[in-house]
Amino acid sequence: MRKMTPPTQEHYGELSHAYDFFNERLFGGALPGCLFTLQRNSRSMGYFSHERFVKRDNIRTDEIALNPEYFATRPVEDVLSTLAHEQVHQWQQHFGTPPRRGYHDQEFAAKMQAVGLMPSHTGTPGGKTTGEKMSHYILPDGLFIRACKELLQSSFGIVWYDRFPVQTAKEYEFAADTTVRISPISVPSPAQAENAPEETLEMEASQAYAPGSDAGVESAVPLYSAPPIESGLDVERPATAGAAKKANTSNRTKYVCGCKTAIWAKSGIKVRCEACNGLFVAAA
């Protein structure tokens, strides 16, 4: 009977593989590595924290956190683009001029575009490219999506999903008819890379990625694939599925009075507005 790979090792091994792959393809291998964590922060899909961890010998490393609550309801390309987004923060910390905490400046925006991601506070075209809260969308002709599609053609995959996901607030309608052209390329998984002779991997890589390579005929594929939840994944359906709203995990309810003033409070309260003397009622 085949022994099951420990879930922790399996899950973090895939994330580390994706980090290393994007480090080579998008950052020339310059990034110093990191320690991954999974964090359920309802207001964030991921974050970067400089030198958050330290070993007993005083060696420090950065943290990149990803929010697993969104893995099932977002296209895998978008999940991986969050990883690349945090790698841009890491690049700026080590090789650029880091702005004040939480701010996304012009240097960050320029590097994002250089790796194939467009910063946008809405996560869609037309949003502001600098500011405190910053999402992004994938550029169909950028470096990231080609690297991402190459990675997804290998044995890579997000293996474990939170069984109680939340609905992403991001919209993907703008990219519904957008495709990218890719060639069938074999990218070794961590296990394959470990077992194959180094010279074999170097030869395969040079053949697969060389300009004009005839490794395969290009084909057009959607920019974003369908979220895993749409393929029969055994997870609970978010209460707001299809509404493009972020789930409310704060245990608070929105109330509105007759003059349209809104407040957030615990469920079941009875409060009147001083301005219109109307009772606050739960918003639909």
Side-chain angles (χ1 to χ4, degrees):
M1 181 177 178
R2 183 179 178 184
K3 185 177 179 181
M4 178 180 176
T5 302
T8 298
Q9 178 182 329
E10 190 173 32
H11 186 74
Y12 285 97
E14 292 292 351
L15 293 180
S16 294
H17 177 50
Y19 174 96
D20 292 340
F21 187 79
F22 291 142
N23 189 13
E24 290 297 326
R25 292 289 186 271
L26 307 179
F27 301 93
L31 301 184
C34 71
L35 192 155
F36 278 105
T37 62
L38 298 180
Q39 303 285 349
R40 291 185 180 88
N41 184 337
S42 62
R43 299 182 180 180
S44 174
M45 295 182 181
Y47 66 77
F48 165 79
S49 185
H50 178 52
E51 293 188 344
R52 188 60 183 261
F53 288 90
V54 63
K55 291 176 68 175
R56 291 183 180 273
D57 57 6
N58 292 325
I59 295 177
R60 299 178 182 180
T61 191
D62 302 326
E63 174 189 22
I64 288 182
L66 298 176
N67 189 342
E69 290 184 317
Y70 293 102
F71 286 5
T73 54
R74 297 168 61 200
V76 63
E77 294 88 353
D78 201 29
V79 172
L80 292 174
S81 74
T82 294
L83 168 57
H85 178 129
E86 305 312 328
Q87 287 180 281
V88 172
H89 279 299
Q90 187 179 36
W91 172 88
Q92 187 174 29
Q93 181 68 50
H94 290 273
F95 304 103
T97 304
R100 70 176 186 272
R101 182 178 176 85
Y103 191 76
H104 301 74
D105 62 5
Q106 290 287 355
E107 182 182 60
F108 173 85
K111 187 63 176 178
M112 284 281 283
Q113 293 174 65
V115 303
L117 301 174
M118 176 59 73
S120 166
H121 81 289
T122 64
T124 57
K128 292 185 290 187
T129 60
T130 60
E132 295 290 340
K133 300 291 184 181
M134 191 56 55
S135 184
H136 63 265
Y137 58 92
I138 299 172
L139 295 172
D141 56 352
L143 294 175
F144 170 79
I145 192 59
R146 291 194 67 85
C148 182
K149 294 297 188 181
E150 290 167 6
L151 178 62
L152 294 175
Q153 288 183 85
S154 73
S155 60
F156 169 86
I158 294 176
V159 181
W160 294 95
Y161 294 88
D162 190 322
R163 290 185 52 239
F164 306 96
V166 296
Q167 182 70 19
T168 178
K170 295 184 71 173
E171 295 277 5
Y172 301 96
E173 291 297 324
F174 72 93
D177 299 321
T178 305
T179 60
V180 293
R181 301 196 66 82
I182 61 170
S183 298
I185 298 171
S186 176
V187 180
S189 68
Q192 292 170 331
E194 182 178 352
N195 296 327
E198 184 175 347
E199 59 271 18
T200 300
L201 293 175
E202 290 178 352
M203 180 180 68
E204 290 177 351
S206 64
Q207 291 174 346
Y209 297 103
S213 170
D214 59 355
V217 179
E218 284 195 341
S219 58
V221 297
L223 179 65
Y224 293 105
S225 56
I229 195 171
E230 295 182 10
S231 62
L233 189 67
D234 183 21
V235 300
E236 295 290 331
R237 285 274 171 181
T240 55
K245 293 182 180 178
K246 189 179 293 185
N248 174 25
T249 58
S250 65
N251 295 320
R252 296 192 302 163
T253 300
K254 182 180 180 180
Y255 294 86
V256 180
C257 67
C259 64
K260 304 304 181 184
T261 299
I263 64 171
W264 289 85
K266 66 180 182 180
S267 180
I269 66 159
K270 294 186 188 237
V271 179
R272 287 191 178 276
C273 173
E274 290 187 357
C276 68
N277 199 36
L279 187 67
F280 281 97
V281 296

